[in-house]
Amino acid sequence: MVEVKLKCIECGKEYDENESRYQCDCGGLLDVKSEGVEVSRKMFDSRKDCESGVWRYKELVHPSAEKIISKGEGGTGIYSNEKLDAYAGTKIIAKHEGENPTGSFKDRGMTVGITEALRKKAKVVACASTGNTSASLAAYAAFAGIKCVVFIPEGKIAYGKLSQALAYGARVFQVQGNFDDAMRLVQQAGKEMNMYVLNSVNPWRLEGQKTIVIELINQLGWRTPDWIAVPLGNAGNTSAFGKALVEMKELGLIERMPRIAAIQATGANPLYKTWKEKSRELLRVKEPETIATAIRIGNPVNWRKALRSINQTNGVIEQVTDQEIMDAKAVVDACGIGCEPASAASVAGTKKLVENGVIKRGERVACVLTGNLLKDPDATINYHSGKIEGVKGRFVNKLQTIEPTIEALEKALAKR
Ligand code: F0G
């Protein structure tokens, strides 16, 4: 018999899995804890035609789920490319989470989150978001026929994401402030207005996001990479990855732990600073700033869980500049893989860690590309037209205008 509980990561207090809460009475974050799960590599291999790369691993995600809301999330590709290896200085496996239904990894969390919201008979779901969470929640809520409210930081969200949230019919509120202000508001609305909050403070969302690494390792024939590099914003993925790896080891699905490398932007680096300075309290960033708006976060809610993941996997936290992020993105894009700015932090961070000797040349690094290239066309076009303040276009592909004649075309082609 499988037994599922919610367990506080601070004081260990346990709650029934049906309780509608995200935090312990002591304020600590909650983990979903399943006892008695029995799984094997063979069992998951035999389900390779499963339409969802999340529910393929149901026993590790939500053993008691019944009425599942799925849009065929997961099943994303892994890519190797010599140009990318040369750029980063080691062997890269790019796991493309931008191939999910709404274009980001959030769908893996949301299929579980919305399934759980329905099970709890929630009337309204809500989130604060730098864009992708709101796009994903809006889609899954509309699909399930449940009302959705989203809070976004005013003016600091990529248009691809904003257009999705509006199109899928969510009530969208721009909050005068940054993501951290929006996060505070949604947590209050959750408590006082009975909205079911589907940010990554909700432990069920992280159960879905664990499947990024479970599926990755399954795709690699259960051979673990040496490292898994991931951008860090609100710290949900970093938290989920550590939990997934510890559980996989306990269940005998893997023999060796990969190390997690979590990458922040230098202008939004609270966890980098906290980890570097071994601070026991989070060293928040009051006014986070980065071109990678998805990770423009100064007060990540999951910071304690993320640090636990770093400790459990002998991992590291690194920071990268907007220049490094946009250059890495240009290389990922030009390889025909493509991603949004925040995603490229994983590659930029890997390159930096190789240069610093933390990652050894020749070690295999799985870089998680968290979002689709089309999410933020402005960032791409502005890079290639040299219009991003403080960022030089090192890998620019310039847009040219020509007269509609062969002579003009020949002249233009000869120039390049
Ligand atoms: N990459 C992308 C493309 C994201 O959208 C996010 C987070 C992250 C990385 C960081 O992941 O929070 O798990 O550390 N986006 C959230 C949102 C905050 O609202 O869409 P994390």
Side-chain angles (χ1 to χ4, degrees):
M1 251 286 280
V2 177
E3 203 190 358
V4 184
K5 293 254 186 254
L6 300 176
K7 185 172 181 185
C8 176
I9 68 162
E10 305 291 340
C11 72
K13 185 167 174 184
E14 291 188 342
Y15 298 91
D16 189 274
E17 67 161 319
N18 294 312
E19 270 204 47
S20 194
R21 58 159 67 231
Y22 331 98
Q23 267 155 317
C24 178
D25 290 336
C26 80
L29 294 168
L30 300 175
D31 267 339
V32 174
K33 204 93 199 147
S34 302
E35 303 280 348
V37 171
E38 280 180 37
V39 292
S40 68
R41 293 176 175 184
K42 212 166 134 199
M43 174 175 139
F44 295 132
D45 285 341
S46 74
R47 295 181 192 162
K48 72 173 186 313
D49 295 328
C50 181
E51 277 179 18
S52 166
V54 173
W55 297 103
R56 177 178 179 183
Y57 307 100
K58 183 173 185 285
E59 293 80 358
L60 305 178
V61 170
H62 197 327
S64 51
E66 278 169 15
K67 190 175 177 296
I68 286 167
I69 303 294
S70 169
K71 278 161 52 69
E73 50 291 316
T76 57
I78 50 172
Y79 304 99
S80 297
N81 186 284
E82 282 174 10
K83 268 192 276 177
L84 201 53
D85 295 352
Y87 183 71
T90 195
K91 182 84 203 133
I92 301 290
I93 302 151
K95 171 81 173 148
H96 209 326
E97 288 301 299
E99 294 175 353
N100 273 294
T102 75
S104 84
F105 69 89
K106 304 286 181 181
D107 296 341
R108 292 187 186 258
M110 240 27 115
T111 178
V112 185
I114 285 288
T115 294
E116 189 56 24
L118 289 189
R119 192 165 82 124
K120 297 211 157 92
K121 301 197 169 38
K123 295 277 184 299
V124 185
V125 290
C127 73
S129 181
T130 56
N132 281 324
T133 301
S134 60
S136 181
L137 181 60
Y140 278 81
F143 195 60
I146 184 168
K147 283 190 188 137
C148 174
V149 180
V150 309
F151 302 94
I152 55 170
E154 189 181 20
K156 290 286 182 182
I157 147 168
Y159 261 32
K161 306 172 188 182
L162 178 58
S163 66
Q164 285 178 293
L166 291 170
Y168 291 128
R171 294 289 304 272
V172 180
F173 296 102
Q174 295 201 63
V175 175
Q176 293 168 333
N178 58 30
F179 170 82
D180 303 305
D181 299 309
M183 191 67 222
R184 217 172 329 109
L185 180 59
V186 78
Q187 286 181 291
Q188 209 177 338
K191 274 197 203 114
E192 294 174 21
M193 300 173 80
N194 204 23
M195 294 180 184
Y196 189 63
V197 176
L198 275 169
N199 278 98
S200 51
V201 275
N202 186 315
W204 293 103
R205 259 214 32 212
L206 298 187
E207 292 303 290
Q209 287 171 215
K210 287 191 315 195
T211 62
I212 301 172
V213 298
I214 302 171
E215 183 182 271
L216 163 77
I217 293 169
N218 194 165
Q219 282 168 312
L220 296 173
W222 302 104
R223 280 181 49 229
T224 49
D226 298 300
W227 292 84
I228 298 176
V230 61
L232 191 151
N234 215 14
N237 271 340
T238 305
S239 304
F241 290 9
K243 186 169 188 285
L245 294 168
V246 168
E247 290 172 357
M248 288 175 87
K249 185 118 192 292
E250 279 170 7
L251 292 165
L253 292 170
I254 56 173
E255 278 116 40
R256 202 174 53 96
M257 285 285 233
R259 299 174 71 183
I260 293 177
I263 318 296
Q264 293 211 285
T266 46
N269 64 352
L271 221 54
Y272 171 77
K273 286 196 302 180
T274 304
W275 180 73
K276 227 16 198 197
E277 295 179 24
K278 298 191 173 66
S279 167
R280 293 173 70 91
E281 289 308 315
L282 179 69
L283 302 176
R284 293 178 195 184
V285 172
K286 271 226 179 88
E287 309 225 340
E289 202 46 82
T290 167
I291 180 94
T293 51
I295 52 172
R296 190 171 167 272
I297 295 174
N299 185 18
V301 287
N302 287 301
W303 71 276
R304 283 192 195 275
K305 279 189 181 177
L307 285 183
R308 178 180 68 174
S309 291
I310 297 297
N311 291 336
Q312 285 169 333
T313 65
N314 188 23
V316 298
I317 304 181
E318 185 52 275
Q319 61 173 357
V320 286
T321 62
D322 282 0
Q323 178 76 55
E324 289 167 315
I325 289 174
M326 291 309 289
D327 285 342
K329 170 176 150 56
V331 175
V332 172
D333 292 352
C335 288
I337 298 172
C339 65
E340 68 160 287
S343 311
S346 61
V347 174
T350 300
K351 178 177 165 62
K352 196 165 198 172
L353 289 165
V354 170
E355 282 165 3
N356 296 344
V358 177
I359 296 178
K360 305 278 172 292
R361 284 177 201 278
E363 283 190 314
R364 286 205 313 168
V365 185
C367 289
V368 181
L369 301 179
T370 44
N372 195 288
L373 175 108
L374 293 174
K375 288 280 191 174
D376 192 350
D378 290 335
T380 308
I381 293 169
N382 288 338
Y383 176 84
H384 288 290
S385 45
K387 283 192 191 144
I388 303 174
E389 224 187 281
V391 173
K392 290 196 196 98
R394 285 180 54 210
F395 302 101
V396 158
N397 184 17
K398 208 162 163 233
L399 174 68
Q400 285 179 276
T401 308
I402 57 163
E403 285 170 16
T405 64
I406 286 294
E407 296 75 41
L409 174 62
E410 278 174 347
K411 211 171 139 196
L413 284 173
K415 256 194 197 160
R416 188 123 187 243

